[in-house]
Amino acid sequence: MERTFVALKPDGVQRGLCGEVMKRFEQKGFRLVAAKFLQPSEDHMKQHYLDLKDMPFYAGLCKYMSSGPVFAMVWEGQGIVKMGRMMLGETNPADSKPGSIRGDFCINIGRNIIHGSDTVENAKTEIGLWFKAEEFVSYTPCAQTWVYE
């Protein structure tokens, strides 16, 4: 099964959307295999967003992401990276469709409440940055046979 990294940003946490995001992924049929609630350091966020280091918003993004608590999660399921991105919506909420997380809960790109890995390769890198091997749980949900053939 494929894995992806999803994190509720400080604005999503402050708005009380952790449960709603979890609910949507669970209802879709994906399995939560790791989660933690923390306030990351600015250095951690600089490493996480290293691919954006040359962008003019990089410093502000890293500072913002370390300004409050983040709810970091690893979800597992068939095609989850692509499907997870579809569930999140576009980076700019103005371009997101209703029914997506950003389409339903966001207005401004600087407060788009959630991060999700954009490729399988990036998911592996991000998961490794945020979680240790012993922080994962392995289980088979009782509904799994009703989700997958």
Side-chain angles (χ1 to χ4, degrees):
M1 286 285 171
E2 193 174 281
R3 288 182 173 175
T4 196
F5 175 76
V6 174
L8 230 62
K9 297 177 179 182
D11 52 322
V13 170
Q14 289 289 340
R15 292 180 56 199
L17 296 172
C18 295
E20 177 65 30
V21 168
M22 287 181 65
K23 176 183 169 185
R24 288 181 181 218
F25 276 83
E26 286 177 331
Q27 286 182 332
K28 185 70 177 175
F30 295 129
R31 177 171 56 168
L32 182 65
V33 295
K36 61 172 81 169
F37 189 65
L38 71 158
Q39 185 165 346
S41 69
E42 196 167 337
D43 285 340
H44 184 87
M45 295 315 307
K46 285 178 181 177
Q47 191 172 0
H48 177 88
Y49 286 118
L50 194 58
D51 61 322
L52 301 175
K53 69 177 175 167
D54 295 327
M55 302 301 280
F57 57 83
Y58 173 72
L61 174 62
C62 295
K63 186 176 180 85
Y64 172 69
M65 287 294 293
S66 62
S67 71
V70 169
F71 186 48
M73 300 168 278
V74 178
W75 289 91
E76 189 174 83
Q78 186 177 332
I80 192 162
V81 172
K82 182 179 178 183
M83 184 59 68
R85 292 291 293 189
M86 288 174 37
M87 291 171 64
L88 266 56
E90 300 299 321
T91 302
N92 184 347
D95 299 330
S96 295
K97 295 179 181 174
S100 69
I101 292 168
R102 289 176 177 146
D104 289 349
F105 299 110
C106 306
I107 296 170
N108 185 272
I109 194 169
R111 296 294 180 264
N112 66 5
I113 75 164
I114 196 164
H115 168 86
S117 301
D118 59 351
T119 66
V120 173
E121 182 179 288
N122 284 346
K124 289 177 184 172
T125 301
E126 291 172 352
I127 290 167
L129 179 63
W130 289 81
F131 290 91
K132 298 174 186 153
E134 62 268 15
E135 294 177 300
F136 289 88
V137 176
S138 180
Y139 66 102
T140 302
C142 58
Q144 184 155 337
T145 58
W146 299 108
V147 175
Y148 296 104
E149 288 185 294

